[in-house]
Amino acid sequence: MRRDFWELIQFFPISRFLERALCFLQNRFKNIFFDEIGVRVRKFFLLEEVLRRVSAAASHKINKKYVQWACSAMGKAFSIVERSHVEAKKFFGPRAIDCAVDATLGGGGDALFLASLLSEGGRIFGFDVQEEAVARSRALFEKNGILEKCTLFCSGHENMLELIPQKYRGRVGCLFFNLGWLPRSDKACVTKPETTVAALEAAVGLIDKSFGYLSIASYRGHAGGEEECEAVRKFFSKIKNARTEEMASSDDPKSPVLFTAKFVI
């Protein structure tokens, strides 16, 4: 075995221990400080591993799988989903909300995060066109004890204005969109620019204009992804009475983009 490989192996226990310790602190104290530290530490260790592997590949001409692994790790270091959660927590701080919407349920991860923002008696509405996504989400919510707080629709997110009870119009504190396709499923079933824009129009109609947060994770690497991202960008340029921001996970033109709109009076 090469020396640099053994150094890498010895490095792993430290990183794993710190990650587990941070996960415990995040779950125990629900504090934005630990969330931010967790993101930075995970990035540090992933990037450290990337540099070690790439260096080994360059110096010793080792197998291509090391370079492929390094590229994969680099992508994980800049998780757009993780970033979206941190940014939302920054915005709300200790403030709780009465209602949230996950416009693209997928596996239910975003909705599970949104549940942490809810006030006592708060409600989550979730949408997805795939029955598999709704089933996955329902199982996750039941496992985590939040199913009673959730109303799930096997329907396109463009229908949210009609499906969410009218009493919540103008009262939704946070809406999340995670575009693209459902992981581990048919990649031909993806979100489309026209329905996404229609859903964003509905979202602006539902959001609390006095203190509301809109988050869209857009992916440009698949067929139609760039067009959808551009449609979201164009829509955001027209949003009034909100602070909008766009963040790319890297300089790669195919990397994911996070769009946020902060409504505050």
Side-chain angles (χ1 to χ4, degrees):
M1 286 285 184
R2 295 185 178 90
R3 182 182 174 187
D4 58 357
F5 179 78
W6 283 112
E7 287 177 353
L8 179 61
I9 292 298
Q10 291 166 8
F11 184 74
F12 265 102
I14 301 171
S15 65
R16 296 297 172 260
F17 170 78
L18 287 175
E19 281 195 89
R20 287 170 185 165
L22 281 163
C23 284
F24 169 78
L25 291 170
Q26 288 171 317
N27 293 330
R28 175 67 178 82
F29 297 103
K30 305 292 184 185
N31 191 304
I32 184 62
F33 171 77
F34 292 115
D35 289 331
E36 290 181 342
I37 293 296
V39 169
R40 291 177 185 181
V41 167
R42 278 190 289 274
K43 282 185 180 180
F44 170 78
F45 283 119
L46 281 167
L47 289 172
E48 178 73 17
E49 292 171 36
V50 168
L51 291 172
R52 286 173 182 268
R53 298 259 179 156
V54 170
S55 175
S59 301
H60 305 291
K61 297 181 181 178
I62 58 179
N63 196 296
K64 286 183 179 179
K65 69 179 181 180
Y66 285 93
V67 177
Q68 293 170 349
W69 183 93
C71 292
S72 173
M74 182 69 80
K76 290 177 184 176
F78 297 98
S79 167
I80 208 76
V81 173
E82 192 173 51
R83 186 76 253 168
S84 68
H85 294 182
V86 169
E87 292 297 324
K89 279 197 172 184
K90 277 185 184 178
F91 177 75
F92 288 106
R95 185 168 181 164
I97 57 178
D98 296 329
C99 181
V101 172
D102 185 346
T104 48
L105 276 170
D110 282 337
L112 189 62
F113 161 73
L114 290 171
S116 70
L117 303 177
L118 291 181
S119 60
E120 191 71 28
R123 196 95 201 137
I124 292 175
F125 295 95
F127 295 83
D128 206 292
V129 294
Q130 293 180 268
E131 291 182 3
E132 182 185 354
V134 176
R136 282 190 203 177
S137 299
R138 182 175 284 110
L140 180 68
F141 303 157
E142 188 169 17
K143 180 181 178 181
N144 286 274
I146 66 164
L147 187 58
E148 70 281 358
K149 299 179 180 181
C150 304
T151 301
L152 309 182
F153 298 101
C154 187
S155 175
H157 45 204
E158 68 274 16
N159 301 318
M160 68 172 73
L161 205 58
E162 290 75 34
L163 293 173
I164 293 176
Q166 192 168 1
K167 69 177 182 177
Y168 290 104
R169 191 167 297 187
R171 291 181 53 205
V172 177
C174 189
L175 296 99
F176 262 55
F177 288 72
N178 193 354
L179 305 176
W181 62 73
L182 175 66
R184 304 186 306 280
S185 70
D186 182 9
K187 292 184 178 180
C189 185
V190 296
T191 53
K192 307 288 186 183
E194 56 273 16
T195 49
T196 294
V197 169
L200 289 173
E201 290 172 350
V204 172
L206 288 165
I207 201 164
D208 182 351
K209 303 298 192 305
S210 66
F211 201 82
Y213 190 85
L214 176 60
S215 175
I216 296 90
S218 181
Y219 302 87
R220 300 179 284 184
H222 62 280
E226 285 191 48
E227 292 80 1
E228 185 173 44
C229 185
E230 188 55 40
V232 173
R233 183 177 288 115
K234 185 177 179 181
F235 179 87
F236 263 63
S237 70
K238 298 178 181 178
I239 294 179
K240 297 178 180 180
N241 303 319
R243 298 197 306 271
T244 60
E245 189 174 0
E246 177 180 336
M247 295 168 271
S249 59
S250 78
D251 292 332
D252 184 348
K254 296 291 186 181
S255 65
V257 179
L258 179 65
F259 296 91
T260 64
K262 301 171 184 177
F263 295 82
V264 180
I265 293 179

